Amino acid sequence: METNNTNSFEPKVVAFVCNWCTYAGADLTGTSRIKYATNVKIIRFPCTGRIDFMLLMKAFANGADGIIISGCHPNDCHYTSGNFHARRRWMIFRNLLDFIGVDVNRIVFSWVSAAEGAKWAEVVNESVDQFRQLGPATSYQKLIKNSEFQEVE
Amino acid sequence: MARIGVFICHCGENISATVDCEKVAKVASEFPGVTVSVDYKYMCSDPGQNMVKEAILEHNLTGVVVSACSPRMHEPTFRNACAEAGLNPFLCEMANIREHCSWVHEKSDATTDKAIDIVRTLVEKVKRNEALAPIYVPITKTAVVIGGGVAGIQASLDIADAGHKVVLVEREPSIGGHMSQLSETFPTLDCSQCILTPRMVDVARHPNITLYTYAEIESVDGSIGNFNVKIRLKSKSLDEKLCTGCGACIQKCPVKKIPSEFEQGLGKRTAIYVPFPQAVPNKPVIDRVNCTYYIKGKCKVCEIVCPTKAIRFDQEDSFVEVQAGALLLATGFDVLKTNFFPEYGYGKYEDVIDGLAFERLASASGPTKGEIRRPSDGEIPKKIVFIACAGSRDPAKGIEYCSKICCMYTAKHAMLYKHKVHEGTPYIFYMDIRATGKMYEEFVRRAIEEDEVKYIRGRVSQVYEKNGKLIVRGVDTLLMGQAVEIEADMVVLATAGIASPGSEELAQKLHVSYDKHKFFSEAHPKLKPVETNTAGIYLAGACQSTKDIPETVAAASGAAAKIAGLFSNDLLKRDPLIAVVKKCAPPLYSSCTGCFMCIPVCPYQAIDKEEIKDRSGNIIKTISHINPGLCQGCGTCVAFCKSKSIDILGYNHDQVCAEVEALLNEW
Amino acid sequence: MQKKIGYYPGCSLEGSSREYSESVVTLANAFDVELVQVPDWNCCGATAAHNLNSILSFSLPARILAKAQEAEMDTIVVPCAACYNRLTMVQHELKKNDTLRAEVNGIIGAELKCDIKILNIVQFIQMFVADFVASKQQFLFDKKVACYYGCLLVRPHDVLDFDRTEDPQSMDEVMKSLGANPIDWPFKTECCGAGMSVSRTDIVGRLSGRIVKEAADRGAEAIIVACPMCHSNLDMRRPALEKAMGEKLTIPVLYISQAIDMALGKSQKETGINRHFVPVNISLQNRVVVPEVVLEKTEEN
Amino acid sequence: MSAHIENNSLSAKLQHATEVKSAKCYQCGKCSAGCPVSNEMEYPPSVAMRLLQTEDPENDKKLLKSQTIWLCVSCEMCLSRCPMEIDIPKAMDFMRQKSLAEGLSHPKSKNIISFHKAFLDSIKFTGRLHEISLVADYKLRSWHLGQDVGMVPSMLSRGKLPILPEMIKGRKQVAEFFKKTKKT
Ligand SMILES: Cc1cc2nc3c(=O)[nH]c(=O)nc-3n(C[C@H](O)[C@H](O)[C@H](O)COP(=O)(O)OP(=O)(O)OC[C@H]3O[C@@H](n4cnc5c(N)ncnc54)[C@H](O)[C@@H]3O)c2cc1C
Ligand SMILES: Cc1cc2nc3c(=O)[nH]c(=O)nc-3n(C[C@H](O)[C@H](O)[C@H](O)COP(=O)(O)OP(=O)(O)OC[C@H]3O[C@@H](n4cnc5c(N)ncnc54)[C@H](O)[C@@H]3O)c2cc1C
Ligand code: SF4
Ligand code: SF4
Ligand code: SF4
Ligand code: SF4
Ligand code: SF4
Ligand code: SF4
Ligand code: SF4
Ligand code: SF4
């Protein structure tokens, strides 16, 4: 189980999850009483297909140290193909992120179904570990804030 | 000015044990725009809901945040309460501080802080919520039932009796499913065929039911109320309208040695065949893989003997499209059947068989006319060893779950054997006896006390053949692991029940979720056991998890009631959380540039083009348009629109951005 | 063209089971493979080490692997099933467990890469012998045989990933290709008593006795093995087995390499069968169709 | 994974050291049914697992003092057939080492232990196993002076017993291993 050690850096993590699979999976984590790090807070979307680049940048600009994007498994998307589009878009974002100096390791892409309560806890804990090692994301935040970040990509 | 009410629930102690609810309420009361913030033991109780309603009236609230369990649990409850107090239900949001907070963290300040952050996030969201009106769509009152086992049969009859149309799609040549293979059924030992066959006939005769056998679902689109289902009718090589089912073709077909699937390989069938004599419809199909004509280009004996000239060798698969308001999955289960257990010699020794094969041996209509004879030499076995949990509860070689039905059918098998072979001895190696239904424990006790079935607690390690006997090596764990070696004449494995093959593909076609064992997932394990997560698609029977007949039939009637309930309205009310193209004043009309990037990405073909015309009818601009009847609100188009001209109600830019900011800024 | 390949005989092949080593070398030579011993190899520790001292049980095999690595051997053949099992298990454990590897590296003073391909005798035969055996075979091994795999060749399956643990077939296949008729029997992977040979001969008598008797009862004319421990328990300990079973058991026990050597027409000396306790009185039939090339060679001999 | 183990039972120690979790065993008995020496054991493997599960100090002691742990020949039949994939052979290894360390090993198992020790000693001094010295050493330790002597002449005559041990160059290094690993 994660313990919030006071000395070590505790990253702020936002999770963008889809309503049908991962949100329900995270509900199951709760129903199963599986514990995970408090660092992660969830925002619900209809589908990972809804999540655009701007939102990721917005999160970094507001101080996120890491982002988890999680939805249904390939082929299991509640909306047929939303997650597939999300995945494809992510491939394009990666290069863009790299370009503006955001470490792509600060974004974790995962699939968690409604039946995978335990997996959600794993994803959270592993991601928090990963972000913890990367340290605070302040430099990117400054960069993003200063570069007069606009709501158009 | 926003006037938001925040209601923090303790959920008994489910939340308050790890989250300081009073503190959360207090901090929330200081959030900008929050007018009232209170905590209470059970928000969903009547007094809890009344609290919300009174606050709405008293403070003229513009939004409500209930901080409690998952919205998947109680969002409708609280939205209804708000509506009753005159607040548009879409101005109510739930902050999930139970499943996503109190249950997943230990009691600590960090946990309370997280709860506060979650509440703040939803407060910021709800401030930006808009009053929305539900959408109404018409309902096509036809149900497509997929799978014609006892579940599909029962549900079809119930829906049809309620006055609605049913299309029943079965992929085998006959309906009946596994139940038609069973001999007698626990716990009453009534003859399976005797109770099932009349219902099968009813299905065929019911004016409201259209039956397609030898048919499969090709594709499904649309959504609740209005699905469009394309069905592939596999070629039976036969004109069903002409065929009278006389059976002359079957008698004359020269290919007679094909192992019969229905008889679990213990009997044989011809190339043109009906699976079993009571089949519905009782009309044959040609199995093209084994038919001499399809292999070698000659024979056609069936065509020659057919009195009505019904045979069609050149018939191809055809398709029908059905409009349906609801779908029911009833595709049942299968038994694990590979030689996954080399140590038990399954697939290697003829006399090691599985439970379904034993059913055929015990069935009066089976290959031995109900006499228990071993497959290798037809002898009557003096000793039979039954091995329970053969593949179930076995993460290493089989599946980890308990198949639930095999304890009972194994007891039944041992009993049937004893009834037929009085001098025989049945042994059952078991780990636990799970007999939890009505009259089940009594049934097992009867097997042990009256029919002298020898139960031995222990798992068998190995079965091997020696001098015509099967040597079964096990232990008695109730005797400190003492070795038990039995020289048996036959071994019956209670193999695991698994999802029906093809379940995964079907689930993907229908967009319903399934678990890791490929069984379809119900929407809620307790409260929505016959619904799937996809609106308008229901499930019943062993396709959800292995079930016995009483449970299967109960689920089927339950699902039928749900569908009949859906069909009792002419219009379906739907949440309006869908996409809209933003409009603005002329001369721009909309920021949409008409790039139409959004059209191909929509999974529901919900986007088309709209022409904006001036008074004299000249087209000024073509922009995209979203059909509210088709849009499901996935938001894919939103992410694709470069000019941010599409928004999704309930998850619009303002709302989600405000959420991100609120979540992070005070962290 | 000579192929060179690493070779770890292990202690018993230098001692009580030297005929195994002799027959393996004979076999390799017949197929133009040169077996190069791992330089200055040590004992793998066998059962004793992991019974008594687990970290030692890693260090001893690790040194062998290090020696092979030093000599730039990418593949080593390990005919003894016990050694094969230990070496494979240890390489697997060390590969996946970084802390353990660091500790063991410290003890043996080397940096293990853990990427050596470790072949058991059957795998060696499959790779270097099976495809060519037909062209060199002089005698038909037209006997009923019982292939006995023992425990260590196939278990644990997760790590060794060689054949299946129940009713394995690889040795049966090899014997079939020589013209033998392998029987179907249930004790292919039952334990012979292994390391208890000296300390609890009574147990070995019972376990191995049952195995030998079962093979004999089913009409086998020879038991084919791939492990020196199995061999010594089934062959050298025969009196103990007979005592435990209360009957005379005359069926001979051959290493699979010896069986092939015999089919190739090798002498008793080359196969080492003269060293067995249970006499091997098996005479093989000349192959009916003998390719000309081989005929010439035999004449030269 | 909580770092502190308050639980001092053998089962907890076993899990800590080897990740073998006795709680996973559901007592099906398949291991005992396939174990070749189960009949000789006072606690067949499934019973041994049950004893561990009780976490009762008395039962822990029973196991460490048992012949069972020394009779196990590490054949892995139990593991390969256990539906829960419980690594009993590893558990047996662990219990043997514990039993020795705590001086609890069963008097009747002395033979087996002596043999293992003699085996390791042989390696310690030569780097390889020298079978004659092994047998000799074992006899000294176990006092089974007569046993097996009958086999020696026939083994010699078949060239199966080299008289002189093979000394490897690295034998000092190997002897070092024994020192370095002694702590365990
Ligand atoms: C050996 C044995 C003995 C049993 N004995 C008893 C007993 O004594 N008492 C008792 O209560 N229960 C017993 N059962 C359990 C009983 O068989 C099941 O409860 C029952 O069959 C479940 O019915 P079902 O309709 O859900 O599934 P099924 O009987 O499996 O029917 C599913 C149907 O769907 C069809 N189908 C599958 N996939 C598709 C597809 N993609 N498209 C179209 N059609 C499809 C199949 O062809 C089949 O006709 C026994 C089970 C076994 C294995
Ligand atoms: C200790 C315990 C723990 C349990 N834990 C779980 C669990 O963890 N998970 C789970 O799934 N299930 C659990 N259950 C089972 C669960 O309680 C039942 O499945 C469920 O309550 C059954 O609901 P019901 O409506 O059929 O019956 P009930 O809950 O008994 O409701 C029947 C209602 O009918 C009323 N009534 C009775 N007679 C009359 C009459 N003549 N006229 C008018 N009204 C009448 C009663 O007052 C009562 O309100 C548990 C049960 C017990 C005893
Ligand atoms: S509203 Fe939800 S959290 Fe509150 S008491 Fe009801 S179930 Fe529990
Ligand atoms: S002979 Fe013709 S009518 Fe009779 S069952 Fe066959 S196809 Fe049908
Ligand atoms: S054509 Fe085919 S189905 Fe018809 S009788 Fe001949 S083999 Fe049978
Ligand atoms: S129902 Fe009985 S036999 Fe079947 S898996 Fe469960 S416990 Fe085993
Ligand atoms: S993607 Fe946006 S701009 Fe392009 S057509 Fe669609 S709504 Fe208009
Ligand atoms: S949100 Fe957009 S992409 Fe999704 S269904 Fe509606 S119109 Fe199609
Ligand atoms: S086989 Fe595995 S689960 Fe069964 S009793 Fe043995 S250890 Fe326990
Ligand atoms: S490893 Fe030990 S306990 Fe397991 S089967 Fe072999 S002898 Fe028995």
Side-chain angles (χ1 to χ4, degrees):
Chain A
M1 209 213 67
E2 288 300 320
T3 42
N4 290 341
N5 192 330
T6 36
N7 318 328
S8 74
F9 158 69
E10 287 304 326
K12 302 183 201 175
V13 185
V14 192
F16 295 142
V17 309
C18 79
N19 183 33
W20 303 100
C21 293
T22 305
Y23 195 93
D27 276 359
L28 182 62
T29 320
T31 330
S32 327
R33 309 295 200 277
I34 303 170
K35 304 284 184 255
Y36 58 77
T38 52
N39 307 46
V40 173
K41 291 160 198 176
I42 293 173
I43 298 186
R44 176 159 75 135
F45 286 86
C47 174
T48 47
R50 161 70 183 84
I51 299 159
D52 53 7
F53 186 63
M54 191 215 77
L55 275 166
L56 306 185
M57 298 325 295
K58 185 113 204 157
F60 283 125
N62 280 285
D65 299 305
I67 296 176
I68 299 173
I69 301 175
S70 180
C72 311
H73 286 260
N75 296 324
D76 293 357
C77 176
H78 181 78
Y79 300 106
T80 322
S81 53
N83 61 356
F84 167 71
H85 288 302
R87 187 93 201 164
R88 256 192 13 192
R89 238 185 353 266
W90 166 232
M91 291 305 174
I92 302 165
F93 286 173
R94 275 180 77 99
N95 301 331
L96 214 56
L97 285 171
D98 223 21
F99 178 71
I100 60 169
V102 175
D103 187 341
V104 287
N105 291 324
R106 291 198 183 272
I107 305 185
V108 167
F109 213 107
S110 169
W111 292 309
V112 174
S113 78
E116 295 175 322
K119 182 175 174 200
W120 174 246
E122 262 168 45
V123 168
V124 167
N125 287 336
E126 279 165 19
S127 310
V128 168
D129 274 349
Q130 180 174 327
F131 301 147
R132 199 177 275 141
Q133 271 164 30
L134 292 174
T138 45
S139 53
Y140 312 121
Q141 285 149 17
K142 271 188 220 123
L143 179 85
I144 293 163
K145 274 203 173 119
N146 295 345
S147 66
E148 281 174 66
F149 164 69
Q150 289 174 345
E151 296 211 346
V152 186
E153 35 177 274
Chain B
M1 250 316 275
R3 284 180 309 280
I4 309 296
V6 177
F7 303 88
I8 316 287
C9 182
H10 293 219
C11 197
E13 288 204 331
N14 280 310
I15 296 172
S16 59
T18 55
V19 169
D20 181 347
C21 293
E22 283 157 37
K23 180 172 172 201
V24 178
K26 188 162 170 306
V27 176
S29 69
E30 283 151 25
F31 293 160
V34 170
T35 315
V36 273
S37 174
V38 289
D39 59 302
Y40 185 65
K41 209 159 183 68
Y42 296 107
M43 282 314 306
C44 58
S45 65
D46 264 357
Q49 293 189 40
N50 283 337
M51 238 165 115
V52 178
K53 290 187 208 167
E54 280 157 23
I56 292 172
L57 296 170
E58 188 183 334
H59 299 284
N60 194 16
L61 296 181
T62 60
V64 162
V65 173
V66 182
S67 310
C69 46
S70 170
R72 296 166 49 83
M73 173 107 187
H74 270 317
E75 194 176 69
T77 314
F78 292 107
R79 287 195 165 165
N80 280 342
C82 289
E84 282 166 25
L87 182 74
N88 183 288
F90 296 95
L91 298 176
C92 167
E93 292 282 352
M94 289 195 73
N96 185 344
I97 60 169
R98 191 178 76 172
E99 283 84 345
H100 291 186
C101 187
S102 75
W103 276 349
V104 288
H105 308 308
E106 310 286 358
K107 182 182 173 77
S108 73
D109 289 346
T111 306
T112 300
D113 288 347
K114 176 170 171 183
I116 293 171
D117 286 339
I118 296 175
V119 175
R120 182 185 326 100
T121 305
L122 271 300
V123 167
E124 287 308 316
K125 179 179 189 195
V126 86
K127 282 189 198 166
R128 291 160 178 82
N129 279 20
E130 301 160 87
L132 300 173
I135 298 173
Y136 291 91
V137 287
I139 299 173
T140 311
K141 296 185 181 182
T142 300
V144 169
V145 176
I146 308 167
V150 64
I153 292 171
Q154 177 75 23
S156 298
L157 289 172
D158 286 352
I159 300 168
D161 285 344
H164 307 294
K165 298 280 180 212
V166 175
V167 175
L168 175 56
V169 182
E170 165 60 56
R171 78 174 160 197
E172 298 301 323
S174 169
I175 57 172
H178 285 102
M179 190 174 162
S180 60
Q181 288 176 285
L182 305 183
S183 53
E184 285 159 19
T185 56
F186 62 79
T188 43
L189 290 188
D190 37 9
C191 153
S192 183
Q193 298 235 341
C194 315
I195 53 182
L196 184 67
T197 333
R199 311 221 115 201
M200 290 165 60
V201 175
D202 288 348
V203 165
R205 275 205 310 243
H206 205 296
N208 279 346
I209 301 180
T210 310
L211 174 61
Y212 294 117
T213 53
Y214 219 45
E216 277 175 42
I217 301 298
E218 184 73 10
S219 65
V220 174
D221 40 46
S223 58
I224 180 169
N226 299 284
F227 290 105
N228 180 22
V229 185
K230 192 169 172 191
I231 301 166
R232 174 190 289 269
L233 306 176
K234 288 179 283 185
S235 168
K236 297 181 174 178
S237 313
L238 177 95
D239 186 334
E240 276 188 282
K241 290 199 192 72
L242 294 180
C243 172
T244 59
C246 72
C249 51
I250 299 172
Q251 276 176 4
K252 290 280 151 39
C253 175
V255 185
K256 295 195 191 300
K257 292 260 166 71
I258 307 164
S260 155
E261 296 83 359
F262 181 80
E263 300 292 1
Q264 294 296 114
L266 296 176
K268 304 273 184 274
R269 65 163 170 85
T270 43
I272 184 164
Y273 74 108
V274 288
F276 54 104
Q278 301 84 345
V280 169
N282 203 339
K283 293 180 184 176
V285 300
I286 296 182
D287 161 10
R288 294 190 175 183
V289 177
N290 288 302
C291 160
T292 315
Y293 173 70
Y294 288 102
I295 299 170
K296 296 200 183 128
K298 50 178 186 252
C299 177
K300 292 199 174 187
V301 169
C302 48
E303 187 180 43
I304 297 160
V305 300
C306 176
T308 61
K309 299 281 160 263
I311 303 288
R312 296 285 178 274
F313 287 111
D314 54 359
Q315 192 180 56
E316 287 179 359
D317 289 4
S318 57
F319 296 91
V320 284
E321 288 198 25
V322 175
Q323 299 301 123
L327 305 182
L328 175 60
L329 284 164
T331 52
F333 71 115
D334 203 354
V335 289
L336 197 52
K337 223 184 247 131
T338 55
N339 47 355
F340 64 100
F341 253 147
E343 65 263 44
Y344 290 172
Y346 184 64
K348 181 169 168 183
Y349 306 129
E350 263 185 282
D351 295 329
V352 179
I353 62 172
D354 67 3
L356 268 180
F358 190 87
E359 293 286 343
R360 295 316 301 148
L361 286 182
S363 170
S365 64
T368 55
K369 310 241 167 344
E371 283 181 29
I372 309 292
R373 292 181 175 278
R374 44 186 232 165
S376 60
D377 55 10
E379 290 296 312
I380 292 178
K382 301 277 184 309
K383 278 184 191 170
I384 302 189
V385 167
F386 295 89
I387 302 180
C389 304
S392 306
R393 307 174 67 193
D394 185 345
K397 292 209 172 82
I399 40 138
E400 64 215 44
Y401 54 85
C402 161
S403 292
K404 198 175 181 182
I405 52 176
C406 14
C407 269
M408 288 306 293
Y409 76 58
T410 299
K412 172 183 81 174
H413 290 168
M415 230 177 196
L416 290 178
Y417 167 61
K418 191 70 188 175
H419 292 176
K420 289 170 192 261
V421 184
H422 300 300
E423 68 285 2
T425 317
Y427 296 89
I428 298 181
F429 281 94
Y430 74 103
M431 301 206 296
D432 300 283
I433 304 177
R434 297 188 172 168
T436 56
K438 192 170 180 166
M439 297 297 291
Y440 285 14
E441 174 63 11
E442 295 89 322
F443 185 80
V444 172
R445 291 314 314 168
R446 213 165 82 214
I448 296 172
E449 291 168 23
E450 283 166 35
D451 294 314
E452 294 166 4
V453 179
K454 304 259 176 292
Y455 273 78
I456 302 168
R457 197 198 170 282
R459 219 173 160 108
V460 169
S461 175
Q462 192 187 19
V463 176
Y464 62 89
E465 191 263 342
K466 189 165 190 181
N467 304 331
K469 297 275 183 195
L470 291 164
I471 315 294
V472 180
R473 292 168 73 186
V475 286
D476 191 329
T477 57
L478 302 179
L479 289 175
M480 282 284 278
Q482 199 179 84
V484 180
E485 210 165 279
I486 295 172
E487 286 189 11
D489 301 299
M490 193 159 131
V491 170
V492 183
L493 304 181
T495 48
I498 53 166
S500 170
S503 294
E504 192 175 13
E505 293 76 22
L506 188 62
Q508 289 171 359
K509 274 182 195 157
L510 270 63
H511 306 296
V512 301
S513 35
Y514 50 93
D515 62 26
K516 66 174 171 189
H517 304 293
K518 320 277 189 261
F519 284 113
F520 304 130
S521 301
E522 60 285 339
H524 188 283
K526 294 201 179 66
L527 301 178
K528 290 184 173 178
V530 296
E531 290 102 318
T532 67
N533 254 331
T534 307
I537 304 186
Y538 302 82
L539 47 76
C543 62
Q544 178 182 17
S545 63
T546 40
K547 287 189 165 72
D548 57 24
I549 297 163
E551 267 190 294
T552 297
V553 173
S557 288
K562 288 278 171 189
I563 291 173
L566 174 70
F567 290 174
S568 65
N569 298 305
D570 294 325
L571 291 174
L572 173 75
K573 190 170 148 185
R574 272 194 34 211
D575 272 0
L577 305 182
I578 56 164
V580 288
V581 177
K582 288 190 227 163
K583 296 278 179 66
C584 57
L588 197 56
Y589 297 99
S590 168
S591 59
C592 168
T593 60
C595 71
F596 303 120
M597 287 279 288
C598 49
I599 293 183
V601 300
C602 171
Y604 299 93
Q605 288 85 43
I607 312 181
D608 51 22
K609 296 176 188 174
E610 178 187 11
E611 290 166 348
I612 298 188
K613 296 177 182 159
D614 63 12
R615 284 216 189 99
S616 44
N618 302 318
I619 300 169
I620 304 172
K621 196 171 182 183
T622 312
I623 61 170
S624 68
H625 169 259
I626 286 157
N627 180 337
L630 294 177
C631 172
Q632 299 297 308
C634 67
T636 307
C637 54
V638 178
F640 266 84
C641 177
K642 289 222 172 76
S643 65
K644 297 282 161 256
S645 303
I646 312 188
D647 226 336
I648 195 145
L649 301 175
Y651 297 97
N652 69 31
H653 289 297
D654 268 7
Q655 289 173 311
V656 293
C657 289
E659 283 185 84
V660 170
E661 277 176 19
L663 191 60
L664 285 159
N665 276 343
E666 301 281 321
W667 197 319
Chain C
M1 196 191 59
Q2 275 265 15
K3 282 167 290 226
K4 274 193 184 180
I5 175 167
Y7 179 45
Y8 176 77
C11 305
S12 13
L13 271 75
E14 299 279 285
S16 55
S17 307
R18 55 187 292 183
E19 73 274 23
Y20 189 16
S21 187
E22 288 160 356
S23 73
V24 170
V25 172
T26 304
L27 180 65
N29 287 342
F31 291 89
D32 296 327
V33 181
E34 186 189 339
L35 298 176
V36 185
Q37 291 211 2
V38 174
D40 200 38
W41 56 266
N42 54 280
C43 170
C44 75
T47 341
H50 75 94
N51 272 352
L52 300 187
N53 179 340
S54 68
I55 190 76
L56 180 65
S57 74
F58 285 108
S59 307
L60 291 171
R63 182 178 177 275
I64 302 165
L65 294 171
K67 287 283 164 200
Q69 184 176 308
E70 221 171 85
E72 296 184 350
M73 296 175 166
D74 51 9
T75 309
I76 52 175
V77 190
V78 186
C80 168
C83 303
Y84 158 74
N85 185 289
R86 282 314 296 155
L87 289 178
T88 313
M89 292 296 291
V90 165
Q91 174 157 283
H92 172 85
E93 283 292 326
L94 293 181
K95 187 165 195 164
K96 77 170 194 217
N97 188 335
D98 295 341
T99 10
L100 182 66
R101 188 174 62 246
E103 188 182 348
V104 170
N105 277 344
I107 294 172
I108 63 167
E111 279 300 317
L112 282 179
K113 293 205 207 76
C114 295
D115 55 2
I116 295 177
K117 204 170 160 63
I118 302 167
L119 299 180
N120 64 38
I121 187 66
V122 187
Q123 287 166 323
F124 171 76
I125 293 169
Q126 287 168 339
M127 274 173 88
F128 297 97
V129 174
D131 291 347
F132 317 103
V133 83
S135 64
K136 304 208 177 201
Q137 191 180 353
Q138 294 190 17
F139 294 98
L140 213 54
F141 207 107
D142 54 348
K143 301 282 176 256
K144 256 184 147 179
V145 296
C147 293
Y148 174 65
Y149 297 70
C151 333
L152 297 160
L153 208 53
V154 290
R155 287 195 293 262
H157 180 76
D158 286 354
V159 180
L160 302 181
D161 194 20
F162 169 70
D163 214 324
R164 43 184 207 177
T165 55
E166 306 289 346
D167 194 12
Q169 292 295 334
S170 51
M171 286 171 71
D172 295 64
E173 289 305 323
V174 171
M175 289 313 295
K176 254 188 237 164
S177 73
L178 299 179
N181 176 11
I183 61 164
D184 174 34
W185 67 311
F187 290 169
K188 282 180 179 177
T189 61
E190 288 286 313
C191 180
C192 64
M196 302 253 215
S197 187
V198 178
S199 52
R200 286 299 301 271
T201 317
D202 56 328
I203 293 183
V204 169
R206 282 195 286 278
L207 301 188
S208 292
R210 218 170 46 138
I211 293 164
V212 171
K213 182 169 157 39
E214 187 71 31
D217 284 355
R218 287 174 190 258
E221 296 161 88
I223 299 177
I224 310 294
V225 298
C227 170
M229 283 216 281
C230 302
H231 192 271
S232 66
N233 283 347
L234 266 44
D235 177 70
M236 267 191 338
R237 294 285 170 198
R238 190 58 66 88
L241 318 198
E242 290 175 342
K243 191 173 153 214
M245 292 297 111
E247 63 182 274
K248 189 108 187 89
L249 297 164
T250 55
I251 178 173
V253 186
L254 292 175
Y255 288 106
I256 189 158
S257 46
Q258 293 177 319
I260 306 178
D261 287 343
M262 283 173 74
L264 298 181
K266 300 293 175 192
S267 68
Q268 288 225 344
K269 201 160 156 270
E270 288 166 298
T271 58
I273 50 172
N274 52 342
R275 298 188 197 272
H276 289 193
F277 278 61
V278 179
V280 186
N281 26 28
I282 290 181
S283 53
L284 300 183
Q285 249 183 31
N286 249 314
R287 279 224 314 183
V288 188
V289 199
V290 183
E292 282 176 0
V293 218
V294 181
L295 264 181
E296 279 166 21
K297 265 202 182 155
T298 18
E299 276 157 6
E300 273 172 43
N301 285 349
Chain D
M1 311 300 113
S2 52
H4 51 273
I5 344 167
E6 290 154 26
N7 192 331
N8 213 16
S9 65
L10 186 58
S11 146
K13 287 181 195 147
L14 169 69
Q15 191 181 344
H16 189 72
T18 64
E19 290 178 17
V20 176
K21 189 169 174 174
S22 65
K24 279 180 75 178
C25 167
Y26 54 22
Q27 288 294 304
C28 68
K30 197 172 180 186
C31 49
S32 302
C35 172
V37 281
S38 160
N39 279 347
E40 330 265 342
M41 294 172 162
E42 68 272 62
Y43 311 120
S46 59
V47 180
M49 285 296 118
R50 183 67 197 143
L51 287 169
L52 281 173
Q53 288 176 345
T54 62
E55 304 204 335
D56 176 343
E58 289 299 311
N59 288 339
D60 289 352
K61 207 170 235 169
K62 270 189 200 163
L63 274 172
L64 296 183
K65 285 168 114 172
S66 70
Q67 287 201 70
T68 295
I69 55 178
W70 297 105
L71 285 169
C72 162
V73 287
S74 308
C75 73
E76 309 223 346
M77 183 62 96
C78 49
L79 169 60
S80 85
R81 287 190 183 152
C82 171
M84 303 303 282
E85 296 175 281
I86 297 169
D87 198 334
I88 297 181
K90 218 184 218 170
M92 294 286 187
D93 275 349
F94 177 81
M95 290 192 284
R96 283 190 278 260
Q97 291 169 26
K98 265 266 167 303
S99 167
L100 269 189
E102 297 184 11
L104 292 174
S105 31
H106 191 283
K108 276 205 188 149
S109 305
K110 291 270 149 46
N111 283 353
I112 300 171
I113 301 166
S114 307
F115 180 76
H116 289 323
K117 285 195 169 152
F119 188 104
L120 289 188
D121 278 353
S122 164
I123 311 172
K124 191 159 153 187
F125 296 117
T126 63
R128 287 189 193 162
L129 177 67
H130 181 238
E131 286 158 325
I132 288 196
S133 355
L134 164 66
V135 174
D137 187 10
Y138 164 67
K139 285 180 192 313
L140 284 176
R141 286 172 194 257
S142 66
W143 296 97
H144 279 254
L145 295 181
Q147 190 199 342
D148 271 345
V149 173
M151 285 180 76
V152 170
S154 48
M155 284 181 79
L156 286 171
S157 73
R158 287 174 167 82
K160 280 178 167 249
L161 274 187
I163 306 285
L164 291 177
E166 185 108 8
M167 296 282 185
I168 71 163
K169 285 194 227 111
R171 61 182 182 274
K172 278 224 181 87
Q173 187 197 10
V174 170
E176 278 293 297
F177 294 180
F178 282 79
K179 268 191 220 142
K180 289 187 190 162
T181 59
K182 193 121 192 206
K183 57 180 192 297
T184 31

